[in-house]
Amino acid sequence: MRELRTLPKSHLHLHFTGSARLATIREFAYRYGISLPPALANQDFDWGDGGQDWSYFQGRYEAARQTIRSAEDVRRIIREAAEDDVTEGSGWLELQVDPSSYARHLGGVNPAVEVMVDACQDASRATGIGIGLVLAVSWSASPEHAERMARVAARYAHRGVVGFGISNDERLGEPDTFVSASHIARDAGLVVTPHTGFYTDYHHVRRCVELLGARRIGHGITAALSSRTLDLLAQRQVTMEICPTSYLPLGVLSSMTQLPVAAFRQAGIPVALAADDPLIFGTRLVGQYEILRAVHGLDDQALAGLARQAVGASTAPLEVAKQLLSGIDAWVK
Ligand SMILES: [Zn+2]
């Protein structure tokens, strides 16, 4: 068995605030006089029997988000996310952020994005990891807001924005609302990657692919329940961004053995393992690969195959992707 930390990786599903170190969030909270919920204050990752509702997650996430109030805070979070990913063997990182959530403290949406794209560049230079930004809107957004944000994403496409995401609770919205926004994003060469199939059924997943032209899906767990949906995903080679530690706490799955990675692999659908929100779920990228090894019995060849698929689905520049792929070959040799 090879050391998973040294397997070259591409990390495609990591949220900006969710990437933060707990110590950093606590430091920010102290500085601004904000009290954190006990779970964050005590580093308590105990989800009881799992099956908590979305508000439980949202409350923690929102509390952490409230502590990020300056351009310097943003730079610190991105720099540390890059450092942490590098130590986990990652050579390409896509950070997902809804800039409108941070606009209030940063002088508006455009200034927030300016800070973020510059911070990604600086962190990339300092740590050696390539970083792309996925600008996201909430599933609760209006079509007008989604279009506005897609235009912002398109405007920054030449400065490190690589994708357009739809995040938050997917039950809050219908894919139809995001048709025009997705069009704008795709026209700018951005990958469209909505969260779906977490709480919503496979029809929602299908519509994200058919209506929005999604090339990647955040989670998409329920797609495994429909052979027609599996066929569609395989035919279009849509990559599933699977974050194993996100599902038990929120009751999407009741056991890690139910993780549908084998179903996706058998159907010929690419899978990219990712950490989602290590701040909330307590596990970073290597831990996700470890679960596939320990619980699903994937051998080193199969784990290397997953790492390759994450590179293949990434927006990494060709030379970065080539280097990662040859590193993966060397790892399994
Ligand atoms: Zn996510």
Side-chain angles (χ1 to χ4, degrees):
M1 278 204 309
R2 293 162 180 82
E3 171 57 62
L4 281 171
R5 199 165 288 275
T6 61
L7 170 63
K9 300 173 198 72
S10 165
H11 197 180
L12 306 185
H13 191 129
L14 183 68
H15 295 274
F16 167 66
T17 294
S19 77
R21 296 174 186 166
L22 187 57
T24 302
I25 293 298
R26 282 193 194 144
E27 189 188 313
F28 290 177
Y30 180 76
R31 184 201 300 159
Y32 296 121
I34 299 167
S35 61
L36 290 171
L40 287 176
N42 307 324
Q43 190 159 20
D44 171 15
F45 296 118
D46 181 10
W47 293 83
D49 298 328
Q52 304 287 345
D53 67 16
W54 181 253
S55 62
Y56 196 63
F57 168 84
Q58 195 63 17
R60 292 174 182 208
Y61 201 88
E62 199 47 51
R65 180 150 57 198
Q66 291 307 322
T67 70
I68 301 169
R69 301 199 163 192
S70 73
E72 199 41 56
D73 296 346
V74 169
R75 282 194 279 273
R76 168 99 175 264
I77 301 278
I78 292 179
R79 170 70 179 259
E80 290 178 352
E83 287 171 358
D84 290 346
D85 248 51
V86 166
T87 64
E88 300 238 324
S90 180
W92 176 256
L93 168 63
E94 294 182 20
L95 265 181
Q96 182 159 162
V97 65
D98 180 347
S100 46
S101 303
Y102 305 89
R104 189 161 69 93
H105 293 296
L106 299 173
V109 166
N110 281 312
V113 177
E114 285 283 338
V115 167
M116 287 166 181
V117 293
D118 286 348
C120 287
Q121 250 179 26
D122 291 347
S124 180
R125 261 195 299 269
T127 62
I129 188 175
I131 309 175
L133 210 51
V134 175
L135 290 196
V137 288
S138 166
W139 271 108
S140 64
S142 68
E144 294 76 22
H145 178 73
E147 282 174 35
R148 228 173 8 249
M149 294 310 298
R151 279 195 204 93
V152 173
R155 199 176 310 138
Y156 285 91
H158 65 293
R159 285 183 54 194
V161 171
V162 296
F164 180 68
I166 311 174
S167 59
N168 201 345
D169 184 344
E170 75 226 27
R171 292 169 297 190
L172 298 172
E174 290 300 328
D176 318 52
T177 305
F178 299 88
V179 169
S180 170
S182 298
H183 221 281
I184 293 165
R186 289 203 317 274
D187 279 353
L190 303 176
V191 66
V192 172
T193 175
H195 285 63
T196 176
F198 191 86
Y199 286 127
T200 53
D201 67 11
Y202 50 81
H203 296 290
H204 199 270
V205 179
R206 290 183 66 88
R207 285 162 65 217
C208 284
V209 174
E210 289 169 343
L211 293 178
L212 309 184
R215 301 292 306 154
R216 300 196 327 230
I217 292 291
H219 309 302
I221 298 299
T222 58
L225 301 172
S226 153
S227 57
R228 234 182 104 219
T229 307
L230 290 174
D231 287 348
L232 174 75
L233 295 166
Q235 192 194 341
R236 301 206 186 177
Q237 286 295 287
V238 175
T239 296
M240 313 306 279
E241 301 163 1
I242 299 294
C243 313
T245 49
S246 299
Y247 310 123
L248 269 57
L250 293 171
V252 173
L253 301 175
S254 56
S255 153
M256 221 38 115
T257 57
Q258 296 174 335
L259 208 59
V261 171
F264 291 140
R265 280 160 49 85
Q266 274 157 25
I269 298 162
V271 169
L273 294 180
D276 209 3
D277 299 293
L279 173 71
I280 309 293
F281 300 119
T283 306
R284 302 199 81 91
L285 185 57
V286 169
Q288 315 299 328
Y289 283 83
E290 277 166 355
I291 287 167
L292 269 295
R293 173 185 268 172
V295 181
H296 291 253
L298 263 62
D299 63 15
D300 289 352
Q301 288 290 344
L303 292 163
L306 289 177
R308 281 192 198 98
Q309 289 180 340
V311 175
S314 78
T315 60
L318 200 60
E319 64 273 22
V320 174
K322 268 187 183 166
Q323 205 181 345
L324 283 168
L325 291 172
S326 65
I328 294 166
D329 289 345
W331 186 81
V332 274
K333 218 172 186 176

